Amino acid sequence: MIGELYADALAGESAELEYVDGTRVPLEAARWFEPIDGDEELLSRCAGPTLDIGSGPGRLTAALTRRGVRSLGIDITPRAVALTRRAGGFALLRDVYDDVPFSGRWATALLADGNIGIGGHPEALLRRVGQLLRPGGTVLAEVAPPGTRSRVDRVRLRRGRVTGEWFAWATVSASDLGRVALAAGFTEARCWPAHGRWLARIH
């Protein structure tokens, strides 16, 4: 049901993200289709083959392809993969913990749009991403502003009375990213503001 509701949101249906305390916020899936202010800060730093993890409808994967950067988007939703391909990018239906092509050979991995929260365990996620990168590879991520409380929430998707399963999603503050990155086996994490977003380079 998570995938179905997410796919429907990508198709234009309204959906909400619901927290265990009852708080609901709109799932603004439409914003992932078009360039977002700050994207250039990520795209310009993608050196060499790039893996876009949780690529959604593929705006970044397709943008890299247009620039001549070899890139691959992976997502757990067939509609997202189809949208990425339609936009001109290469994409596979794949979980980051599955068998990913060219494992150990990617120069850059993207965790945009807060995707460092995937699975609710950012240290484990970064450790896995490190396995996919070649030696000296870089993770480019989007994190929460400094001073934000890093946390793990239980959330689910909702459309009216239809709900998906609960899943874990992490928020990582720029203030805490260095510690998380070191625990995952990286040596450095640098964060900077860009058009209202906080981006990070981890290597």
Side-chain angles (χ1 to χ4, degrees):
M1 182 59 71
I2 294 174
E4 293 176 13
L5 289 174
Y6 175 50
D8 289 345
L10 291 176
E13 297 283 348
S14 62
E16 297 174 304
L17 192 64
E18 181 178 20
Y19 293 77
V20 291
D21 66 359
T23 301
R24 300 181 192 177
V25 296
L27 182 68
E28 299 177 341
R31 71 188 297 267
W32 299 326
F33 283 80
E34 300 296 332
I36 298 173
D37 287 345
D39 279 357
E40 180 61 31
E41 295 271 341
L42 295 172
L43 295 168
S44 64
R45 289 171 168 81
C46 291
T50 298
L51 181 66
D52 186 5
I53 299 166
S55 52
R59 78 176 191 282
L60 297 176
T61 307
L64 288 170
T65 300
R66 289 192 295 270
R67 293 171 182 229
V69 177
R70 187 154 60 98
S71 58
L72 174 69
I74 58 172
D75 202 282
I76 61 171
T77 305
R79 189 184 297 274
V81 171
L83 287 168
T84 300
R85 293 172 177 172
R86 188 182 304 167
F90 296 97
L92 290 176
L93 184 66
R94 206 66 53 97
D95 186 288
V96 66
Y97 292 100
D98 291 340
D99 181 25
V100 176
F102 307 111
S103 178
R105 287 181 279 173
W106 295 101
T108 307
L110 282 173
L111 289 169
D113 304 322
N115 281 342
I116 195 170
I118 289 172
H121 198 321
E123 181 183 323
L125 176 61
L126 286 177
R127 192 177 298 116
R128 170 57 178 156
V129 174
Q131 296 170 349
L132 301 174
L133 291 172
R134 67 191 187 192
T138 297
V139 182
L140 296 172
E142 185 169 352
V143 295
T148 304
R149 181 175 64 87
S150 294
R151 63 188 186 275
V152 178
D153 291 302
R154 297 288 293 176
V155 296
R156 66 181 177 183
L157 296 182
R158 171 185 285 275
R159 187 177 69 245
R161 296 190 178 190
V162 179
T163 60
E165 299 86 5
W166 293 102
F167 60 95
W169 192 269
T171 296
V172 180
S173 170
S175 305
D176 298 324
L177 181 62
R179 172 182 54 78
V180 174
L182 287 173
F186 291 87
T187 59
E188 184 181 356
R190 184 178 68 85
C191 301
W192 70 95
H195 301 277
R197 302 162 71 182
W198 275 86
L199 307 177
R201 180 177 184 267
I202 306 165
H203 59 94

